[in-house]
Protein backbone atom coordinates (compact mmCIF):
# COMPACT_ATOMS: atom_id res chain seq x y z
CA UNK A 1 0.00 0.00 0.00
CA UNK A 2 1.22 3.49 -0.86
CA UNK A 3 -0.05 6.16 1.51
CA UNK A 4 -1.17 9.53 0.20
CA UNK A 5 0.42 11.22 3.22
CA UNK A 6 2.41 10.35 6.30
CA UNK A 7 2.72 12.94 9.06
CA UNK A 8 5.97 12.58 11.00
CA UNK A 9 8.23 14.31 13.51
CA UNK A 10 5.48 15.76 15.68
CA UNK A 11 3.23 15.01 18.63
CA UNK A 12 -0.19 13.61 17.77
CA UNK A 13 -2.93 14.18 20.35
CA UNK A 14 -5.62 11.80 19.14
CA UNK A 15 -8.45 12.55 21.64
CA UNK A 16 -9.03 8.79 21.46
CA UNK A 17 -9.09 7.27 24.97
CA UNK A 18 -7.89 3.94 23.56
CA UNK A 19 -4.72 5.53 22.19
CA UNK A 20 -4.24 9.10 23.46
CA UNK A 21 -0.96 10.01 21.73
CA UNK A 22 1.07 8.99 18.70
CA UNK A 23 4.03 10.16 16.66
CA UNK A 24 3.01 9.36 13.07
CA UNK A 25 -0.25 9.33 11.11
CA UNK A 26 -0.88 7.62 7.80
CA UNK A 27 -3.53 8.91 5.40
CA UNK A 28 -5.05 7.30 2.31
CA UNK A 29 -8.10 8.44 0.31
CA UNK A 30 -8.83 11.22 2.78
CA UNK A 31 -8.97 8.98 5.85
CA UNK A 32 -6.63 7.91 8.61
CA UNK A 33 -5.45 4.34 8.00
CA UNK A 34 -3.04 3.88 10.88
CA UNK A 35 -0.75 5.32 13.52
CA UNK A 36 2.92 4.83 14.41
CA UNK A 37 4.21 1.30 13.69
CA UNK A 38 1.15 0.51 11.57
CA UNK A 39 2.31 3.00 8.92
CA UNK A 40 5.96 3.77 9.71
CA UNK A 41 7.33 1.43 7.06
CA UNK A 42 4.81 2.25 4.35
CA UNK A 43 5.85 4.41 1.40
CA UNK A 44 3.97 7.68 0.97
CA UNK A 45 3.46 10.08 -1.91
CA UNK A 46 4.03 12.94 0.50
CA UNK A 47 5.77 12.95 3.86
CA UNK A 48 4.65 15.94 5.93
CA UNK A 49 7.33 16.96 8.42
CA UNK A 50 5.57 18.52 11.41
CA UNK A 51 8.92 19.79 12.72
CA UNK A 52 7.84 19.40 16.37
CA UNK A 53 4.33 20.80 15.94
CA UNK A 54 1.25 19.25 17.53
CA UNK A 55 -1.45 17.56 15.46
CA UNK A 56 -4.97 17.24 16.89
CA UNK A 57 -8.31 16.28 15.38
CA UNK A 58 -9.70 19.33 13.60
CA UNK A 59 -12.04 21.46 15.65
CA UNK A 60 -15.80 21.32 15.21
CA UNK A 61 -17.77 24.56 15.60
CA UNK A 62 -21.20 23.13 16.35
CA UNK A 63 -23.05 26.48 16.14
CA UNK A 64 -21.83 29.27 13.90
CA UNK A 65 -23.02 31.67 11.20
CA UNK A 66 -20.81 31.61 8.12
CA UNK A 67 -22.86 33.91 5.90
CA UNK A 68 -23.44 36.44 8.67
CA UNK A 69 -19.76 36.37 9.64
CA UNK A 70 -18.69 36.91 6.05
CA UNK A 71 -21.18 39.73 5.59
CA UNK A 72 -20.08 41.39 8.85
CA UNK A 73 -16.44 41.27 7.71
CA UNK A 74 -17.19 43.40 4.65
CA UNK A 75 -19.71 45.88 6.06
CA UNK A 76 -19.13 49.11 7.94
CA UNK A 77 -18.06 48.27 11.51
CA UNK A 78 -18.72 50.62 14.43
CA UNK A 79 -17.41 48.34 17.18
CA UNK A 80 -14.46 50.67 17.92
CA UNK A 81 -16.60 53.77 18.38
CA UNK A 82 -16.97 55.14 21.91
CA UNK A 83 -19.77 57.66 21.36
CA UNK A 84 -22.92 57.95 19.30
CA UNK A 85 -21.43 61.05 17.65
CA UNK A 86 -18.43 59.04 16.47
CA UNK A 87 -20.77 56.49 14.92
CA UNK A 88 -22.60 59.21 13.00
CA UNK A 89 -19.35 60.77 11.81
CA UNK A 90 -18.00 57.40 10.64
CA UNK A 91 -21.16 56.54 8.73
CA UNK A 92 -21.51 59.96 7.14
CA UNK A 93 -17.99 59.59 5.74
CA UNK A 94 -18.93 56.42 3.86
CA UNK A 95 -19.51 56.74 0.11
CA UNK A 96 -23.15 57.10 -0.79
CA UNK A 97 -25.02 54.23 -2.37
CA UNK A 98 -28.52 53.37 -3.43
CA UNK A 99 -30.58 51.01 -1.33
CA UNK A 100 -29.72 50.05 2.23
CA UNK A 101 -26.75 51.00 4.36
CA UNK A 102 -25.99 48.04 6.62
CA UNK A 103 -23.77 48.49 9.66
CA UNK A 104 -22.18 45.86 11.91
CA UNK A 105 -20.71 45.84 15.40
CA UNK A 106 -23.32 47.80 17.40
CA UNK A 107 -23.09 47.39 21.18
CA UNK A 108 -25.16 49.90 23.11
CA UNK A 109 -23.14 49.15 26.26
CA UNK A 110 -19.93 50.43 24.64
CA UNK A 111 -21.26 53.88 23.67
CA UNK A 112 -21.96 56.94 25.77
CA UNK A 113 -25.63 56.51 24.90
CA UNK A 114 -27.70 54.22 22.67
CA UNK A 115 -28.10 55.10 19.01
CA UNK A 116 -31.49 56.35 17.86
CA UNK A 117 -33.28 56.74 14.56
CA UNK A 118 -32.67 60.49 14.80
CA UNK A 119 -28.91 59.81 14.79
CA UNK A 120 -29.24 57.62 11.74
CA UNK A 121 -31.42 60.14 9.93
CA UNK A 122 -28.32 62.35 9.83
CA UNK A 123 -26.52 59.64 7.88
CA UNK A 124 -28.89 58.87 5.04
CA UNK A 125 -31.84 56.74 4.09
CA UNK A 126 -32.64 53.15 5.03
CA UNK A 127 -29.89 52.68 7.58
CA UNK A 128 -29.85 49.32 9.38
CA UNK A 129 -27.47 48.93 12.32
CA UNK A 130 -27.15 45.31 13.48
CA UNK A 131 -26.80 44.67 17.19
CA UNK A 132 -23.86 42.38 17.98
CA UNK A 133 -26.24 39.82 19.47
CA UNK A 134 -28.20 39.38 16.25
CA UNK A 135 -31.41 39.82 18.22
CA UNK A 136 -31.90 43.56 17.80
CA UNK A 137 -31.14 46.50 15.53
CA UNK A 138 -31.44 50.28 15.23
CA UNK A 139 -32.93 51.75 12.06
CA UNK A 140 -33.44 55.16 10.54
CA UNK A 141 -36.79 56.93 10.58
CA UNK A 142 -37.66 56.11 6.98
CA UNK A 143 -37.39 52.40 7.82
CA UNK A 144 -39.74 52.85 10.76
CA UNK A 145 -42.26 54.42 8.38
CA UNK A 146 -42.27 51.21 6.31
CA UNK A 147 -43.27 49.02 9.25
CA UNK A 148 -46.90 48.14 10.00
CA UNK A 149 -48.56 49.53 13.11
CA UNK A 150 -48.60 46.07 14.72
CA UNK A 151 -44.80 45.99 14.62
CA UNK A 152 -44.37 49.55 15.81
CA UNK A 153 -46.46 48.74 18.87
CA UNK A 154 -43.59 46.42 19.92
CA UNK A 155 -40.93 49.08 19.36
CA UNK A 156 -39.02 50.74 22.16
CA UNK A 157 -40.23 54.29 22.77
CA UNK A 158 -38.51 57.31 24.23
CA UNK A 159 -39.77 59.84 26.80
CA UNK A 160 -41.62 61.67 24.02
CA UNK A 161 -43.58 58.52 23.18
CA UNK A 162 -41.97 58.15 19.73
CA UNK A 163 -40.12 55.00 18.61
CA UNK A 164 -36.40 55.29 19.30
CA UNK A 165 -35.48 53.13 16.32
CA UNK A 166 -34.38 50.21 18.52
CA UNK A 167 -36.19 47.02 17.51
CA UNK A 168 -35.77 43.55 18.99
CA UNK A 169 -36.76 39.98 18.13
CA UNK A 170 -39.99 39.88 16.10
CA UNK A 171 -39.80 43.59 15.27
CA UNK A 172 -36.25 43.16 13.99
CA UNK A 173 -37.39 40.20 11.88
CA UNK A 174 -39.98 42.48 10.29
CA UNK A 175 -37.21 44.92 9.32
CA UNK A 176 -35.08 42.12 7.87
CA UNK A 177 -38.07 41.06 5.78
CA UNK A 178 -37.97 44.49 4.13
CA UNK A 179 -34.30 44.03 3.21
CA UNK A 180 -34.26 40.34 2.24
CA UNK A 181 -33.46 38.37 0.24
CA UNK A 182 -29.79 38.71 -0.47
CA UNK A 183 -28.70 37.43 -3.87
CA UNK A 184 -27.25 33.94 -4.05
CA UNK A 185 -23.98 35.38 -5.35
CA UNK A 186 -23.75 37.63 -2.28
CA UNK A 187 -24.52 34.76 0.09
CA UNK A 188 -22.03 32.43 -1.58
CA UNK A 189 -19.32 35.08 -1.33
CA UNK A 190 -20.09 35.70 2.34
CA UNK A 191 -20.12 31.97 3.12
CA UNK A 192 -16.69 31.63 1.53
CA UNK A 193 -15.37 34.46 3.71
CA UNK A 194 -16.84 32.90 6.85
CA UNK A 195 -15.50 29.44 5.98
CA UNK A 196 -12.03 30.89 5.42
CA UNK A 197 -12.16 32.39 8.92
CA UNK A 198 -12.94 28.95 10.31
CA UNK A 199 -10.12 27.29 8.38
CA UNK A 200 -7.60 29.76 9.77
CA UNK A 201 -8.68 28.79 13.29
CA UNK A 202 -8.37 25.02 12.86
CA UNK A 203 -12.10 24.38 12.32
CA UNK A 204 -12.84 21.51 9.93
CA UNK A 205 -16.64 21.38 10.35
CA UNK A 206 -18.95 24.36 10.81
CA UNK A 207 -22.60 23.89 11.66
CA UNK A 208 -24.49 26.83 10.11
CA UNK A 209 -27.18 27.65 12.67
CA UNK A 210 -30.19 28.57 10.57
CA UNK A 211 -30.74 28.82 6.82
CA UNK A 212 -33.82 29.65 4.80
CA UNK A 213 -35.62 31.75 7.40
CA UNK A 214 -35.74 32.68 11.08
CA UNK A 215 -33.53 35.34 12.63
CA UNK A 216 -30.47 34.53 10.52
CA UNK A 217 -31.67 33.29 7.13
CA UNK A 218 -30.63 35.27 4.06
CA UNK A 219 -32.87 33.81 1.34
CA UNK A 220 -35.49 31.08 0.88
CA UNK A 221 -33.05 29.62 -1.66
CA UNK A 222 -30.08 29.82 0.70
CA UNK A 223 -28.97 26.19 0.51
CA UNK A 224 -28.08 26.68 -3.15
CA UNK A 225 -25.48 29.28 -2.17
CA UNK A 226 -23.61 26.64 -0.16
CA UNK A 227 -23.51 24.39 -3.22
CA UNK A 228 -21.68 26.99 -5.29
CA UNK A 229 -17.92 26.61 -5.40
CA UNK A 230 -15.65 24.46 -3.27
CA UNK A 231 -15.74 25.34 0.43
CA UNK A 232 -12.44 24.79 2.27
CA UNK A 233 -14.14 23.03 5.19
CA UNK A 234 -17.09 20.75 5.86
CA UNK A 235 -20.45 22.46 6.46
CA UNK A 236 -23.62 21.18 8.06
CA UNK A 237 -26.75 23.27 7.58
CA UNK A 238 -29.46 23.74 10.20
CA UNK A 239 -32.74 24.48 8.45
CA UNK A 240 -35.04 27.09 9.99
CA UNK A 241 -38.30 25.68 11.33
CA UNK A 242 -40.02 28.40 9.27
CA UNK A 243 -39.61 25.97 6.37
CA UNK A 244 -42.08 23.47 7.89
CA UNK A 245 -45.19 23.21 5.74
CA UNK A 246 -48.44 21.27 6.15
CA UNK A 247 -48.33 17.96 4.28
CA UNK A 248 -50.84 15.27 3.46
CA UNK A 249 -48.86 12.20 4.49
CA UNK A 250 -50.00 8.63 4.98
CA UNK A 251 -51.71 8.25 8.33
CA UNK A 252 -49.13 5.65 9.33
CA UNK A 253 -46.35 8.26 8.97
CA UNK A 254 -47.84 10.49 11.66
CA UNK A 255 -46.39 13.61 10.02
CA UNK A 256 -48.42 16.85 10.02
CA UNK A 257 -45.75 19.28 8.80
CA UNK A 258 -42.46 18.78 7.03
CA UNK A 259 -39.82 20.54 4.98
CA UNK A 260 -40.80 20.14 1.29
CA UNK A 261 -40.05 16.73 -0.24
CA UNK A 262 -39.58 15.25 3.23
CA UNK A 263 -36.04 16.55 3.61
CA UNK A 264 -34.61 16.04 7.07
CA UNK A 265 -31.46 15.56 9.14
CA UNK A 266 -28.85 13.37 7.48
CA UNK A 267 -29.24 14.31 3.82
CA UNK A 268 -26.01 15.10 2.00
CA UNK A 269 -22.42 13.97 1.87
CA UNK A 270 -19.13 14.35 3.70
CA UNK A 271 -18.62 17.98 2.67
CA UNK A 272 -22.13 19.45 2.79
CA UNK A 273 -25.08 18.00 4.65
CA UNK A 274 -28.38 18.83 6.31
CA UNK A 275 -28.22 18.86 10.09
CA UNK A 276 -30.80 19.83 12.67
CA UNK A 277 -34.04 21.80 12.39
CA UNK A 278 -33.38 25.16 14.08
CA UNK A 279 -35.98 26.73 16.37
CA UNK A 280 -35.81 29.90 18.46
CA UNK A 281 -37.57 30.19 21.84
CA UNK A 282 -36.13 33.42 23.25
CA UNK A 283 -33.70 36.24 22.56
CA UNK A 284 -30.23 37.05 23.91
CA UNK A 285 -28.59 38.33 27.08
CA UNK A 286 -26.86 41.20 25.30
CA UNK A 287 -30.19 42.58 24.09
CA UNK A 288 -31.81 41.69 27.47
CA UNK A 289 -34.37 39.55 25.63
CA UNK A 290 -33.26 36.10 26.86
CA UNK A 291 -36.28 34.77 28.76
CA UNK A 292 -35.60 34.47 32.51
CA UNK A 293 -37.73 33.24 35.41
CA UNK A 294 -36.68 36.31 37.42
CA UNK A 295 -35.94 39.81 36.08
CA UNK A 296 -32.48 40.96 35.08
CA UNK A 297 -30.69 42.47 38.07
CA UNK A 298 -31.48 46.18 38.27
CA UNK A 299 -33.96 46.06 35.39
CA UNK A 300 -37.73 45.71 35.18
CA UNK A 301 -37.66 43.07 32.45
CA UNK A 302 -37.26 39.30 32.49
CA UNK A 303 -36.81 39.09 28.71
CA UNK A 304 -39.29 37.44 26.38
CA UNK A 305 -40.17 34.27 24.60
CA UNK A 306 -39.60 34.50 20.86
CA UNK A 307 -43.17 33.66 19.79
CA UNK A 308 -46.51 32.41 21.02
CA UNK A 309 -45.74 29.32 23.18
CA UNK A 310 -48.32 27.22 21.35
CA UNK A 311 -46.75 28.07 17.99
CA UNK A 312 -43.26 27.17 19.20
CA UNK A 313 -44.44 23.97 20.88
CA UNK A 314 -46.22 22.86 17.70
CA UNK A 315 -43.02 23.37 15.67
CA UNK A 316 -41.04 21.21 18.12
CA UNK A 317 -43.67 18.45 18.11
CA UNK A 318 -44.06 18.50 14.32
CA UNK A 319 -40.33 18.63 13.63
CA UNK A 320 -39.69 15.72 15.98
CA UNK A 321 -42.50 13.67 14.42
CA UNK A 322 -41.07 14.36 10.95
CA UNK A 323 -37.76 12.74 11.94
CA UNK A 324 -35.61 15.80 12.49
CA UNK A 325 -32.90 16.27 15.04
CA UNK A 326 -33.92 19.52 16.71
CA UNK A 327 -31.65 22.41 17.68
CA UNK A 328 -33.66 24.58 20.05
CA UNK A 329 -32.28 28.04 20.81
CA UNK A 330 -32.80 28.66 24.54
CA UNK A 331 -30.57 31.10 26.41
CA UNK A 332 -32.53 32.12 29.52
CA UNK A 333 -33.63 29.60 32.15
CA UNK A 334 -37.32 30.20 31.37
CA UNK A 335 -36.64 29.36 27.73
CA UNK A 336 -34.66 26.27 28.80
CA UNK A 337 -37.71 25.18 30.84
CA UNK A 338 -39.90 25.63 27.77
CA UNK A 339 -37.48 23.73 25.52
CA UNK A 340 -37.16 20.80 27.91
CA UNK A 341 -40.93 20.59 28.46
CA UNK A 342 -41.60 20.59 24.71
CA UNK A 343 -38.87 18.05 23.94
CA UNK A 344 -40.14 15.76 26.68
CA UNK A 345 -43.68 16.03 25.29
CA UNK A 346 -42.42 15.28 21.78
CA UNK A 347 -40.73 12.11 23.01
CA UNK A 348 -43.88 11.00 24.84
CA UNK A 349 -46.01 11.47 21.73
CA UNK A 350 -43.53 9.92 19.28
CA UNK A 351 -40.76 8.04 21.11
CA UNK A 352 -37.40 8.46 19.32
CA UNK A 353 -34.64 7.49 21.79
CA UNK A 354 -31.88 8.25 19.29
CA UNK A 355 -33.10 11.72 18.29
CA UNK A 356 -30.17 13.42 20.04
CA UNK A 357 -31.91 16.79 20.25
CA UNK A 358 -29.82 19.83 21.10
CA UNK A 359 -30.38 22.96 23.17
CA UNK A 360 -28.40 25.79 21.62
CA UNK A 361 -26.64 28.09 24.09
CA UNK A 362 -28.05 26.84 27.43
CA UNK A 363 -26.91 30.26 28.64
CA UNK A 364 -28.49 30.18 32.10
CA UNK A 365 -29.23 26.76 33.56
CA UNK A 366 -30.57 26.46 37.11
CA UNK A 367 -29.35 23.56 39.28
CA UNK A 368 -32.77 21.87 39.11
CA UNK A 369 -32.60 21.80 35.30
CA UNK A 370 -29.34 19.84 35.07
CA UNK A 371 -30.78 16.39 35.80
CA UNK A 372 -33.63 17.02 33.35
CA UNK A 373 -31.12 17.74 30.59
CA UNK A 374 -29.25 14.53 31.42
CA UNK A 375 -32.44 12.48 31.62
CA UNK A 376 -33.67 13.65 28.24
CA UNK A 377 -30.33 12.93 26.56
CA UNK A 378 -30.20 16.51 25.31
CA UNK A 379 -26.87 17.91 24.06
CA UNK A 380 -26.06 21.42 25.36
CA UNK A 381 -24.27 23.39 22.64
CA UNK A 382 -22.50 26.20 24.51
CA UNK A 383 -20.43 29.26 23.59
CA UNK A 384 -17.89 29.77 26.41
CA UNK A 385 -16.31 32.77 24.67
CA UNK A 386 -19.46 34.77 25.40
CA UNK A 387 -18.31 34.95 29.02
CA UNK A 388 -14.73 35.73 28.03
CA UNK A 389 -15.92 38.66 25.89
CA UNK A 390 -19.05 39.81 27.75
CA UNK A 391 -18.87 38.02 31.11
CA UNK A 392 -18.51 41.14 33.25
CA UNK A 393 -21.73 42.57 31.84
CA UNK A 394 -23.59 39.25 31.93
CA UNK A 395 -22.56 38.59 35.55
CA UNK A 396 -23.79 42.04 36.54
CA UNK A 397 -27.25 41.62 35.02
CA UNK A 398 -27.60 38.06 36.36
CA UNK A 399 -26.55 38.96 39.90
CA UNK A 400 -24.34 36.93 42.27
CA UNK A 401 -26.76 34.00 42.71
CA UNK A 402 -27.32 33.31 39.02
CA UNK A 403 -23.93 34.27 37.53
CA UNK A 404 -22.36 30.87 38.40
CA UNK A 405 -25.09 29.14 36.35
CA UNK A 406 -24.05 30.69 33.03
CA UNK A 407 -22.62 28.60 30.19
CA UNK A 408 -21.84 25.69 32.46
CA UNK A 409 -19.15 23.09 31.94
CA UNK A 410 -18.36 20.95 34.98
CA UNK A 411 -21.98 20.49 36.04
CA UNK A 412 -22.86 19.02 32.63
CA UNK A 413 -19.87 16.67 32.51
CA UNK A 414 -20.41 15.45 36.08
CA UNK A 415 -23.85 14.20 35.00
CA UNK A 416 -22.51 12.33 32.01
CA UNK A 417 -23.85 14.90 29.54
CA UNK A 418 -21.92 15.20 26.27
CA UNK A 419 -20.88 18.86 26.03
CA UNK A 420 -20.47 20.48 22.62
CA UNK A 421 -18.49 23.67 22.12
CA UNK A 422 -19.21 26.35 19.53
CA UNK A 423 -18.70 30.04 18.79
CA UNK A 424 -21.87 31.66 17.42
CA UNK A 425 -19.51 33.74 15.27
CA UNK A 426 -19.63 36.66 14.49
CA UNK A 427 -21.28 37.49 17.83
CA UNK A 428 -17.95 36.70 19.49
CA UNK A 429 -14.39 35.62 18.68
CA UNK A 430 -14.69 32.33 16.80
CA UNK A 431 -11.39 30.77 17.96
CA UNK A 432 -11.92 27.35 19.58
CA UNK A 433 -8.62 27.75 21.43
CA UNK A 434 -9.82 31.00 23.00
CA UNK A 435 -12.93 29.16 24.22
CA UNK A 436 -10.85 26.25 25.53
CA UNK A 437 -8.80 28.66 27.62
CA UNK A 438 -11.92 30.22 29.11
CA UNK A 439 -13.46 26.83 29.92
CA UNK A 440 -10.39 26.03 32.04
CA UNK A 441 -9.79 29.46 33.60
CA UNK A 442 -13.37 30.80 33.72
CA UNK A 443 -11.93 34.33 33.54
CA UNK A 444 -13.45 37.19 31.56
CA UNK A 445 -11.32 39.37 29.30
CA UNK A 446 -11.07 41.81 32.23
CA UNK A 447 -9.90 39.03 34.57
CA UNK A 448 -13.11 38.50 36.55
CA UNK A 449 -13.91 34.96 37.68
CA UNK A 450 -17.25 33.81 36.18
CA UNK A 451 -18.59 30.62 37.75
CA UNK A 452 -15.18 29.15 38.69
CA UNK A 453 -16.81 25.94 39.93
CA UNK A 454 -17.76 25.21 36.30
CA UNK A 455 -14.10 24.98 35.22
CA UNK A 456 -13.04 21.86 33.31
CA UNK A 457 -9.66 20.38 32.42
CA UNK A 458 -7.84 21.28 29.21
CA UNK A 459 -8.49 17.79 27.85
CA UNK A 460 -12.21 18.05 28.61
CA UNK A 461 -12.40 21.46 26.93
CA UNK A 462 -10.60 20.16 23.84
CA UNK A 463 -13.01 17.23 23.74
CA UNK A 464 -15.95 19.65 23.65
CA UNK A 465 -14.51 21.22 20.49
CA UNK A 466 -13.61 17.91 18.83
CA UNK A 467 -15.58 14.81 19.78
CA UNK A 468 -18.35 16.74 21.57
CA UNK A 469 -19.03 18.99 18.60
CA UNK A 470 -18.97 16.01 16.25
CA UNK A 471 -21.41 14.16 18.53
CA UNK A 472 -23.83 17.11 18.49
CA UNK A 473 -23.71 17.01 14.69
CA UNK A 474 -24.18 13.21 14.66
CA UNK A 475 -20.76 12.77 13.07
CA UNK A 476 -18.74 11.32 15.94
CA UNK A 477 -18.10 8.20 13.86
CA UNK A 478 -16.13 10.26 11.33
CA UNK A 479 -14.73 13.29 13.17
CA UNK A 480 -13.44 14.32 16.58
CA UNK A 481 -10.60 11.81 16.95
CA UNK A 482 -7.45 10.87 15.07
CA UNK A 483 -8.07 7.17 14.60
CA UNK A 484 -8.16 4.62 11.75
CA UNK A 485 -11.25 4.95 9.55
CA UNK A 486 -11.97 8.57 10.46
CA UNK A 487 -11.57 11.57 8.18
CA UNK A 488 -8.05 12.95 7.91
CA UNK A 489 -9.21 16.25 9.40
CA UNK A 490 -6.52 17.85 11.55
CA UNK A 491 -5.52 21.06 13.28
CA UNK A 492 -1.77 21.54 13.47
CA UNK A 493 -0.74 23.81 16.34
CA UNK A 494 2.58 25.41 17.19
CA UNK A 495 2.25 24.43 20.87
CA UNK A 496 0.52 21.63 22.77
CA UNK A 497 -2.44 23.08 24.72
CA UNK A 498 -2.24 20.13 27.11
CA UNK A 499 1.23 21.10 28.32
CA UNK A 500 1.59 24.86 27.84
CA UNK A 501 0.49 27.47 30.38
CA UNK A 502 -3.31 27.73 30.36
CA UNK A 503 -3.09 31.51 30.01
CA UNK A 504 -1.36 31.00 26.62
CA UNK A 505 -3.84 28.57 25.04
CA UNK A 506 -5.93 31.25 23.34
CA UNK A 507 -2.85 32.65 21.61
CA UNK A 508 -1.51 29.35 20.24
CA UNK A 509 -0.91 29.66 16.51
CA UNK A 510 -2.74 27.40 14.07
CA UNK A 511 -0.07 26.33 11.60
CA UNK A 512 -2.34 24.32 9.34
CA UNK A 513 -5.85 22.95 8.93
CA UNK A 514 -6.29 19.72 7.01
CA UNK A 515 -9.66 18.53 5.68
CA UNK A 516 -9.81 15.08 4.12
CA UNK A 517 -6.05 15.15 3.62
CA UNK A 518 -6.16 18.51 1.82
CA UNK A 519 -4.66 21.66 3.33
CA UNK A 520 -7.44 24.20 3.85
CA UNK A 521 -5.01 26.49 5.68
CA UNK A 522 -1.23 26.28 5.64
CA UNK A 523 0.46 29.16 7.42
CA UNK A 524 3.64 27.12 7.97
CA UNK A 525 4.01 25.83 4.43
CA UNK A 526 3.77 22.22 5.58
CA UNK A 527 2.15 21.07 2.34
CA UNK A 528 5.18 22.15 0.35
CA UNK A 529 7.74 20.79 2.79
Amino acid sequence: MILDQRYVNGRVVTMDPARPVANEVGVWAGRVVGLDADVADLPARRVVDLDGAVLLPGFVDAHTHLAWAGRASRTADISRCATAAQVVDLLRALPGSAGWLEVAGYDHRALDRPLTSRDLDLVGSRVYVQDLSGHACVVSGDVLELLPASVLREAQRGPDGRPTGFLAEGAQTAVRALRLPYSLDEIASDVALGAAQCAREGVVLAAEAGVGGGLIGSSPLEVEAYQRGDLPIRVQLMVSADRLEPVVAHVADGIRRAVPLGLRTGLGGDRLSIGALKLWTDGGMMARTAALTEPYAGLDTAGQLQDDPDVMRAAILDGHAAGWQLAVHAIGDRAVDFALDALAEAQRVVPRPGARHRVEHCGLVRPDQLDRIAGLGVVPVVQPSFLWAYGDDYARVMGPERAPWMYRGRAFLDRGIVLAGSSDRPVVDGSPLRAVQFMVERLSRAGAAIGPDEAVTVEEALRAYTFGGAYACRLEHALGRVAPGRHADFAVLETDPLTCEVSRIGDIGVLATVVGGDFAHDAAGLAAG
Side-chain angles (χ1 to χ4, degrees), residues 134-397:
H135 288 267
C137 63
V138 184
V139 298
S140 53
D142 56 345
V143 176
L144 290 175
E145 293 174 358
L146 298 173
L147 297 172
S150 59
V151 172
L152 290 177
R153 281 196 292 270
E154 302 177 30
Q156 181 190 78
R157 294 180 180 270
D160 59 1
R162 298 174 55 187
T164 63
F166 178 83
L167 303 167
E169 307 304 341
Q172 181 204 220
T173 301
V175 174
R176 280 179 53 80
L178 297 173
R179 169 64 180 87
L180 296 178
Y182 293 97
S183 74
L184 290 173
D185 284 344
E186 286 179 288
I187 300 169
S189 175
D190 290 338
V191 167
L193 290 171
Q197 291 177 18
C198 289
R200 290 192 294 270
E201 294 167 354
V203 174
V204 297
L205 170 67
E208 174 67 67
V211 297
L215 285 173
I216 306 301
S218 301
S219 165
L221 305 176
E222 195 162 4
V223 173
E224 182 182 334
Y226 288 81
Q227 297 176 271
R228 296 187 174 190
D230 295 323
L231 293 175
I233 63 172
R234 304 181 195 278
V235 176
Q236 188 177 84
L237 303 175
M238 300 184 212
V239 177
S240 170
D242 292 1
R243 299 298 96 197
L244 288 173
E245 297 181 4
V247 294
V248 181
H250 192 283
V251 64
D253 295 328
I255 298 175
R256 295 181 295 268
R257 286 192 293 167
V259 172
L261 302 179
L263 305 184
R264 65 178 178 90
T265 305
L267 181 69
D270 290 339
R271 301 292 298 210
L272 180 64
S273 62
I274 299 295
L277 187 72
K278 176 72 182 295
L279 307 99
W280 287 262
T281 67
D282 71 343
M285 285 188 186
M286 195 184 304
R288 312 309 193 225
T289 53
L292 311 179
T293 51
E294 300 291 337
Y296 289 86
L299 301 175
D300 60 358
T301 179
Q304 65 190 74
L305 292 176
Q306 183 69 225
D307 202 344
D308 180 277
D310 290 337
V311 172
M312 296 190 297
R313 184 178 295 107
I316 289 174
L317 295 177
D318 290 347
H320 172 84
W324 284 89
Q325 179 191 29
L326 303 180
V328 185
H329 167 116
I331 292 183
D333 61 327
R334 179 157 59 110
V336 172
D337 276 335
F338 177 88
L340 297 178
D341 288 345
L343 291 172
E345 181 181 355
Q347 289 284 16
R348 285 195 301 271
V349 175
V350 180
R352 285 180 54 212
R356 202 179 293 179
H357 295 318
R358 310 159 37 141
V359 175
E360 309 300 299
H361 308 297
C362 269
L364 186 73
V365 176
R366 302 188 310 271
D368 62 287
Q369 294 173 317
L370 292 166
D371 288 338
R372 288 199 71 199
I373 291 172
L376 285 169
V378 166
V379 181
V381 181
V382 298
Q383 300 78 36
S385 287
F386 277 3
L387 295 186
W388 172 76
Y390 311 124
D392 302 280
D393 173 64
Y394 285 13
R396 179 178 59 80
V397 296

Side-chain angles (χ1 to χ4, degrees), residues 72 300 402 473 486 527:
D300 60 358
R402 293 181 293 184
C473 296
R486 294 172 184 265

Side-chain angles (χ1 to χ4, degrees), residues 400-451:
E401 180 183 4
R402 293 181 293 184
W405 304 345
M406 294 190 295
Y407 296 94
R408 292 178 180 268
R410 173 56 52 201
F412 288 137
L413 296 180
D414 285 350
R415 287 163 176 79
I417 297 168
V418 177
L419 181 62
S422 66
S423 70
D424 205 18
R425 80 176 67 231
V427 180
V428 74
D429 184 339
S431 167
L433 289 167
R434 177 67 61 195
V436 165
Q437 178 177 326
F438 174 82
M439 292 178 77
V440 180
E441 291 183 322
R442 299 290 299 194
L443 296 177
S444 73
R445 182 166 16 200
I450 312 290

Side-chain angles (χ1 to χ4, degrees), residues 55-75:
L55 183 149
L56 289 84
F59 299 122
V60 176
D61 192 336
H63 180 120
T64 189
H65 302 287
L66 298 179
W68 180 16
R71 188 163 59 248
S73 73
R74 63 175 177 81
T75 55

